[in-house]
Amino acid sequence: MKYHIVTYGCQMNLHESEKIAGILKETGYLESAPMEEADIIVFNTCCIRENAENHAFGNIGALKKLKREKKNLLIAVGGCMVQEEGKAKLLKEKFPFIDILFGTHNLFELKALIERKRMQKKAVVSLLEERGETEDGITPVRTSYPNAWVNITYGCNNFCSYCIVPYVRGRERSRRAEDILREVQALVEAGYKEITLLGQNVDSYRGEDGTTFPELLDRVASVEGKFRVRFMTSHPKDFTEELVAVMKKHEKICKHLHLPVQAGNNRILSLMNRRYTREKYLEDLAILRREIPDCEVTTDLIVAFPTETEEEFADTLSLVEEADFSSAFTFIYSPRTGTKAARMEGRIPEDVAKDRIGRLIALVNSKTREKSARYVGKTVEILCEDFDEKKGMYLGRDEYGRMGYFCSDRDRIGEFVDLKITEANGISLYGEEA
Ligand code: 5AD
Ligand code: SF4
């Protein structure tokens, strides 16, 4: 029996799909296969913005025909969208052919849900409100070699006013430091070359014995072996000099900080409930760069938050100039039912939002190109992670997260390779082995 998993959204979801694959294997589905050949199809959904939901809705709807042709096919839909208030009901009504619906807190019982569905005709729906414990005991089927994702926290307590995550992923829970370290050690011994610590807000990690995030990072980077350490996501309100000191201390920690700023104007930041100012953010970047001059910073930006004026948007543009980001993910504000911002007046018309994001993307891209061009002629170490069939080239990332492409006549996946950069194109670099 074969499975097929469709994943939407962030790294957290990608890693959760690896856990879903682990459960499916235990349940008797032995290998991953294209959708048409699968005996079970699982959708792991996202609800961070409306377009993520629309994608999932479209693709689930398209399965109707396959389900009619293949009587024994099981269709399961889980993840953030299912956990959203009223969405499970809506999905059930719209797509009566869905066999199993499970929320973000129900992953551990997926095996039982599948077994229950095999015994009954009716759809199985399971949605838990909240789940306290953090050890799920699931062995993931990792698909991202040479990188391995490791959860350190689940959930979020920040309630940024635009964000639905705290509602669908529940209150923040930290894993035990000992469990995290044991997992990292085993992964490094198994040959993984990059460990990415995952949490909605890694900085607020608190181990059972009071271990802070910088302390945890220090311990993870002290594990023996040649590998890299990354972490995401950091919240500017929790930026500390201790974090910078640990990043500086360990060569293993990538000199890259993803620090979502969201907006450049203090009134908007306050409405977003971000709890820092533009000035504080820039001061922290100055500390980071004073201590680690080659550190690169990337960010997330939202345009057209309710009531954002043209002048306030211009503050985001000027912040992008000042902060010298290497790249940024840019989003148009998307109202999410249940969040505070969704109840605010002053929605920005779509044409204005589109105009703003267009200008922002143009600026971000020009900064990215400018930064990448500086690498031409230099040598960077990349960790080879894949082969691009179309380009006929191997690819990997440098410690800053830039993609480097090169040719090789043997398999290089999982190796650290020194590349002399000959060409830069956007965030991608092209080079030859040095
Ligand atoms: N609308 C637009 N962007 C959002 N993000 C989170 N919620 C929303 C929303 N409602 C963005 C933020 C966050 C990233 C993961 O997604 O920039 O950092
Ligand atoms: Fe959402 Fe803010 Fe939590 Fe990030 S920190 S998941 S943006 S509420």
Side-chain angles (χ1 to χ4, degrees), residues 48 155-167 169 172 199-201 233-235 237 260 262 272-275 300 302:
I48 193 105
C156 182
N157 290 347
N158 287 322
F159 290 94
C160 301
S161 65
Y162 50 81
C163 186
I164 197 160
V165 169
Y167 302 90
R169 288 201 171 266
E172 187 179 277
Q200 241 73 49
N201 177 12
T233 301
S234 300
H235 194 305
K237 79 173 167 56
Q262 314 296 0
M272 286 177 164
N273 191 29
R274 291 291 288 178
R275 289 175 278 172
D300 293 347
I302 298 177

Side-chain angles (χ1 to χ4, degrees), residues 303-360:
V303 304
F305 187 80
T307 73
E308 182 188 69
T309 64
E310 172 58 28
E311 289 71 31
E312 287 166 338
F313 166 66
D315 287 340
T316 295
L317 294 177
S318 71
L319 181 78
V320 169
E321 293 277 5
E322 269 184 69
D324 204 24
F325 297 121
S326 305
S327 70
F329 295 107
T330 53
F331 309 106
I332 291 180
Y333 166 73
S334 170
R336 307 282 64 212
T337 307
T339 62
K340 201 165 166 202
R343 297 189 290 274
M344 288 178 189
E345 295 193 349
R347 283 282 164 81
I348 305 300
E350 200 181 321
D351 56 331
V352 176
K354 283 201 170 140
D355 172 65
R356 285 184 191 165
I357 200 151
R359 283 147 68 201
L360 182 62

Side-chain angles (χ1 to χ4, degrees), residues 115-130:
E115 282 162 359
R116 213 160 92 207
K117 176 60 209 179
R118 283 179 181 154
M119 317 284 277
Q120 71 182 56
K121 215 169 151 4
K122 215 169 104 226
V124 174
V125 183
S126 188
L127 289 173
L128 291 177
E129 275 297 301
E130 191 75 62

Side-chain angles (χ1 to χ4, degrees), residues 140-359:
V141 176
R142 295 189 181 269
T143 51
S144 59
Y145 178 83
N147 174 66
W149 286 299
V150 174
N151 287 117
I152 66 164
T153 66
Y154 301 93
C156 182
N157 290 347
N158 287 322
F159 290 94
C160 301
S161 65
Y162 50 81
C163 186
I164 197 160
V165 169
Y167 302 90
V168 293
R169 288 201 171 266
R171 297 291 61 72
E172 187 179 277
R173 286 97 62 205
S174 294
R175 283 180 72 194
R176 290 161 49 87
E178 295 305 324
D179 293 337
I180 296 168
L181 281 158
R182 203 173 314 117
E183 186 174 351
V184 170
Q185 205 128 26
L187 288 165
V188 172
E189 276 164 21
Y192 285 89
K193 300 290 176 4
E194 187 174 85
I195 301 292
T196 305
L197 304 177
L198 286 182
Q200 241 73 49
N201 177 12
V202 289
D203 312 86
S204 53
Y205 174 83
R206 274 290 175 282
E208 69 289 3
D209 49 0
T211 305
T212 63
F213 179 62
E215 285 164 358
L216 178 74
L217 193 58
D218 191 19
R219 289 174 69 186
V220 166
S222 301
V223 170
E224 233 153 275
K226 174 145 175 80
F227 66 100
R228 285 175 175 171
V229 182
R230 297 187 188 278
F231 53 89
M232 66 176 14
T233 301
S234 300
H235 194 305
K237 79 173 167 56
D238 298 319
F239 180 92
T240 58
E241 297 202 27
E242 286 80 49
L243 175 66
V244 178
V246 174
M247 287 180 78
K248 187 174 170 178
K249 176 176 161 194
H250 292 278
E251 211 180 304
K252 281 187 188 132
I253 302 177
C254 292
K255 301 298 172 275
H256 169 214
L257 187 64
H258 183 64
L259 198 62
V261 66
Q262 314 296 0
N265 175 271
N266 286 338
R267 189 186 73 90
I268 297 294
L269 286 173
S270 165
L271 282 180
M272 286 177 164
N273 191 29
R274 291 291 288 178
R275 289 175 278 172
Y276 53 83
T277 60
R278 172 195 181 102
E279 291 74 25
K280 168 75 169 46
Y281 184 89
L282 287 169
E283 274 164 31
D284 288 343
L285 288 197
I287 293 171
L288 177 70
R289 286 177 169 138
R290 186 189 70 215
E291 292 301 312
I292 313 173
D294 61 342
C295 193
E296 297 216 8
V297 181
T298 54
T299 202
D300 293 347
L301 298 161
I302 298 177
V303 304
F305 187 80
T307 73
E308 182 188 69
T309 64
E310 172 58 28
E311 289 71 31
E312 287 166 338
F313 166 66
D315 287 340
T316 295
L317 294 177
S318 71
L319 181 78
V320 169
E321 293 277 5
E322 269 184 69
D324 204 24
F325 297 121
S326 305
S327 70
F329 295 107
T330 53
F331 309 106
I332 291 180
Y333 166 73
S334 170
R336 307 282 64 212
T337 307
T339 62
K340 201 165 166 202
R343 297 189 290 274
M344 288 178 189
E345 295 193 349
R347 283 282 164 81
I348 305 300
E350 200 181 321
D351 56 331
V352 176
K354 283 201 170 140
D355 172 65
R356 285 184 191 165
I357 200 151
R359 283 147 68 201

